[in-house]
Amino acid sequence: MNTPLPLDITLTDRKDGVTITEWVYAVLRHAVMCGQILPGRSLTLRELAKVLGVSPMPIREALKKLSSEHALEVKENRRIIVPTMTAMKFNELCETRITLETHAAIRALPYINSTILERLESIDKDIDIARDKDDMESTITHNHAFHRLLYTANPHQVSLHLIESLWLQLGPFLRLSTERIKENYTIDRHQEALQAIRHKDALALQLAISSDIREGFAFIGTPEILHHFIQESAKY
Amino acid sequence: MNTPLPLDITLTDRKDGVTITEWVYAVLRHAVMCGQILPGRSLTLRELAKVLGVSPMPIREALKKLSSEHALEVKENRRIIVPTMTAMKFNELCETRITLETHAAIRALPYINSTILERLESIDKDIDIARDKDDMESTITHNHAFHRLLYTANPHQVSLHLIESLWLQLGPFLRLSTERIKENYTIDRHQEALQAIRHKDALALQLAISSDIREGFAFIGTPEILHHFIQESAKY
DNA sequence: TTTTGTTTTTTGTGATCACAAAATGCAAAC
DNA sequence: GTTTGCATTTTGTGATCACAAAAAACAAAA
């Protein structure tokens, strides 16, 4: 049998007016997004209910919601697991991210005013601070916030939830990159993106975003390293 | 108050091994996809439970799943409705469809063999037959099957469920096009797509798919007509 | 040691109920 | 006619329970 592995999940406070289901969803989503649960780990209603201190019902709804966003996977036996990964699927996810996010960025460009630009610059500073402190969880969160703010500048935008679904599917592998992210001295392309926004240069923005995404997964290095990561995660 | 409008939904048989929730989901999804429920219509657990002859529980799960795919919308008061539409949002949905589906088609192209090609040709014939019989529901279903088969030729494909989410969001407006689809003598671009596939011509395929999608909504004609449609649906 | 068959436990599904919040219906007042 | 206030009904949420299927644990046989 597999080791139980005690499920180290970041619990937040439940705000007023938030239903239990919504809170459970947010907690589990954050855990997946930040790679706190390894691929292949199976999740049961009663175990999570115990860990989060609620009845199985809200867990059920939250797990189902995450499953339909492909953050989790319902297997044939109805067991719910964090999806496993293949090198080809990983590549598809990255390429789809690039296609969808450059699309969203370009269509948001006309709506970006000075207020939004300032907030983007502010978030970019937060990312640098978090990275300097080697705070992985915070770096990921702020990085997502940067992209999210950019795309939602378009008030008619419909693609964010598609994009977030891709983030969720790649999430479990962000943890595996923790060790390598330092040695590789990864730097993002947000400065180039901001510059492109200031000049209202759609082509430059497209280039910046696609480079940002592609280089963000450069820690993978070679297909061999990715394959090693996948094998590693499959042990549990 | 609004008229109750008796909810005319196509009920199918429930196969063995399919859970009640899955069956309810399939039925409601098909209803939304084919525009059998008008935008703005609010759906309640107990009403649907009565119509489908099941307990409220599976309805609850199915509605939640459809909501997280943006096929339905959970309002602030927790009431679940078929989403309303704006002209700008409609446009965004179409453009996102084009971006995502051309991406999926191009990445599927290397995997299309003669077997798949034959099945695509077969489905295309089905579409023509259904259209000749003015069978709207069947035309829509076969058209989706054509696109779905094309994209899933790529075994590593991850974008289909994103694409289907867009189909679901546009679904409620397919019914509104029923009257106009005949007079406009709409024809699809599937022949061009098949030709491009035979020649392994990615650029031609991209053009065929994007034209197919764009012209598929040409019945909208002008923003004024779309606006009229939206106003019309808002009455209920 | 490995395999096979049987028992026990745990699992998700779905039904039912209690409850607070929201929607509705209806009457009195302007 | 229109608005305002209150009583009634209906709503989704979440807890609890029964149940069949799957998983796990264990025992007997090779």
Side-chain angles (χ1 to χ4, degrees):
Chain A
M1 243 308 287
N2 295 337
T3 44
L5 29 150
L7 264 185
D8 184 17
I9 288 179
T10 308
L11 296 181
T12 59
D13 286 346
R14 182 157 72 93
K15 304 272 192 299
D16 284 350
V18 175
T19 64
I20 299 180
T21 300
E22 287 166 351
W23 174 75
V24 171
Y25 170 76
V27 167
L28 293 180
R29 181 192 161 90
H30 181 264
V32 172
M33 193 87 101
C34 294
Q36 292 180 350
I37 316 177
L38 286 176
R41 175 66 148 93
S42 84
L43 304 170
T44 63
L45 299 185
R46 289 163 174 91
E47 180 197 14
L48 284 172
K50 220 170 180 179
V51 172
L52 301 197
V54 298
S55 93
M57 188 59 100
I59 304 282
R60 193 161 139 184
E61 301 227 325
L63 288 185
K64 281 299 173 73
K65 185 165 183 187
L66 287 165
S67 300
S68 71
E69 293 169 344
H70 285 63
L72 300 175
E73 183 184 344
V74 183
K75 301 209 74 174
E76 201 59 37
N77 23 336
R78 282 167 197 171
R79 188 150 283 200
I80 294 177
I81 66 167
V82 177
T84 52
M85 184 63 71
T86 65
M88 292 298 282
K89 191 177 157 194
F90 189 92
N91 190 41
E92 285 288 331
L93 285 168
C94 293
E95 293 301 322
T96 308
R97 266 199 69 183
I98 291 170
T99 296
L100 209 42
E101 295 195 36
T102 55
H103 169 91
I106 289 173
R107 295 190 73 83
L109 187 53
Y111 298 97
I112 299 177
N113 54 34
S114 57
T115 314
I116 295 176
L117 184 60
E118 279 167 26
R119 283 166 60 203
L120 284 171
E121 288 165 345
S122 167
I123 294 174
D124 191 41
K125 287 205 187 76
D126 293 339
I127 295 173
D128 290 339
I129 293 169
R131 208 198 316 266
D132 285 344
K133 287 192 294 187
D134 277 341
D135 184 345
M136 185 71 177
E137 196 171 337
S138 196
T139 305
I140 294 170
T141 306
H142 284 125
N143 187 53
H144 284 150
F146 182 91
H147 286 258
R148 192 181 291 114
L149 178 58
L150 173 55
Y151 309 144
T152 53
N154 175 358
H156 312 291
Q157 168 275 332
V158 297
S159 53
L160 182 68
H161 80 275
L162 308 178
I163 292 169
E164 299 227 18
S165 172
L166 297 174
W167 292 351
L168 277 167
Q169 291 178 71
L170 289 165
F173 285 84
L174 292 180
R175 170 194 261 191
L176 297 176
S177 74
T178 319
E179 318 97 56
R180 300 206 145 250
I181 209 125
K182 299 168 205 163
E183 32 183 287
N184 272 26
Y185 191 62
T186 316
I187 210 71
D188 59 50
R189 293 282 190 157
H190 294 174
Q191 283 303 326
E192 283 90 327
L194 291 168
Q195 191 69 7
I197 289 167
R198 290 186 202 101
H199 291 60
K200 295 283 178 196
D201 184 343
L203 206 63
L205 180 58
Q206 173 167 23
L207 189 65
I209 294 296
S210 71
S211 300
D212 183 58
I213 295 170
R214 211 179 292 277
E215 293 168 15
F217 289 110
F219 66 85
I220 293 299
T222 66
E224 285 72 34
I225 294 177
L226 174 59
H227 191 252
H228 169 72
F229 279 158
I230 292 168
Q231 294 294 13
E232 200 63 25
S233 73
K235 287 185 185 169
Y236 302 93
Chain B
M1 243 311 286
N2 295 338
T3 45
L5 29 150
L7 264 186
D8 185 17
I9 288 179
T10 308
L11 296 181
T12 59
D13 285 346
R14 181 158 74 92
K15 305 271 192 302
D16 284 351
V18 175
T19 64
I20 299 181
T21 300
E22 287 166 351
W23 174 73
V24 171
Y25 170 76
V27 168
L28 292 180
R29 181 193 162 89
H30 181 264
V32 172
M33 194 87 99
C34 293
Q36 292 180 349
I37 316 176
L38 286 175
R41 175 67 148 92
S42 85
L43 303 170
T44 63
L45 298 185
R46 289 164 175 89
E47 181 196 12
L48 283 172
K50 221 171 180 179
V51 172
L52 301 198
V54 298
S55 93
M57 188 59 99
I59 303 283
R60 195 160 136 184
E61 301 226 325
L63 288 185
K64 282 298 173 71
K65 186 165 184 187
L66 288 166
S67 300
S68 70
E69 292 169 343
H70 284 63
L72 300 175
E73 184 184 344
V74 183
K75 300 210 73 174
E76 200 60 36
N77 22 334
R78 284 169 195 171
R79 187 149 285 200
I80 294 177
I81 66 167
V82 177
T84 52
M85 184 63 72
T86 65
M88 292 299 282
K89 192 177 155 193
F90 189 91
N91 190 40
E92 283 289 332
L93 285 168
C94 293
E95 293 301 321
T96 308
R97 266 198 70 183
I98 291 169
T99 296
L100 209 42
E101 295 195 37
T102 55
H103 168 91
I106 290 173
R107 295 190 73 83
L109 187 53
Y111 298 97
I112 300 178
N113 54 34
S114 57
T115 314
I116 296 177
L117 184 59
E118 279 165 27
R119 283 166 61 202
L120 284 171
E121 288 164 345
S122 166
I123 294 174
D124 190 41
K125 286 203 188 76
D126 293 339
I127 296 173
D128 289 340
I129 293 168
R131 209 199 314 269
D132 285 345
K133 289 192 293 188
D134 278 341
D135 184 347
M136 185 69 178
E137 197 171 336
S138 197
T139 306
I140 294 171
T141 305
H142 284 125
N143 187 53
H144 283 151
F146 182 91
H147 285 258
R148 192 181 292 114
L149 178 58
L150 173 55
Y151 309 144
T152 52
N154 177 358
H156 312 291
Q157 167 275 333
V158 297
S159 54
L160 182 68
H161 80 275
L162 308 177
I163 292 168
E164 299 227 18
S165 171
L166 298 175
W167 292 352
L168 276 167
Q169 291 178 71
L170 289 164
F173 286 84
L174 292 180
R175 171 193 258 188
L176 297 176
S177 73
T178 319
E179 318 98 57
R180 299 203 145 250
I181 209 126
K182 300 168 206 163
E183 33 183 286
N184 273 27
Y185 190 62
T186 314
I187 210 71
D188 59 50
R189 293 282 190 159
H190 294 174
Q191 283 304 325
E192 283 90 329
L194 291 169
Q195 190 69 7
I197 289 169
R198 288 186 203 102
H199 290 62
K200 295 282 177 197
D201 184 342
L203 206 63
L205 180 59
Q206 174 166 23
L207 189 64
I209 294 296
S210 71
S211 299
D212 183 58
I213 295 169
R214 212 180 291 278
E215 292 167 15
F217 289 111
F219 66 84
I220 294 299
T222 66
E224 286 74 32
I225 294 178
L226 174 60
H227 192 251
H228 169 72
F229 279 158
I230 292 168
Q231 294 294 13
E232 199 63 25
S233 74
K235 286 183 184 168
Y236 302 93

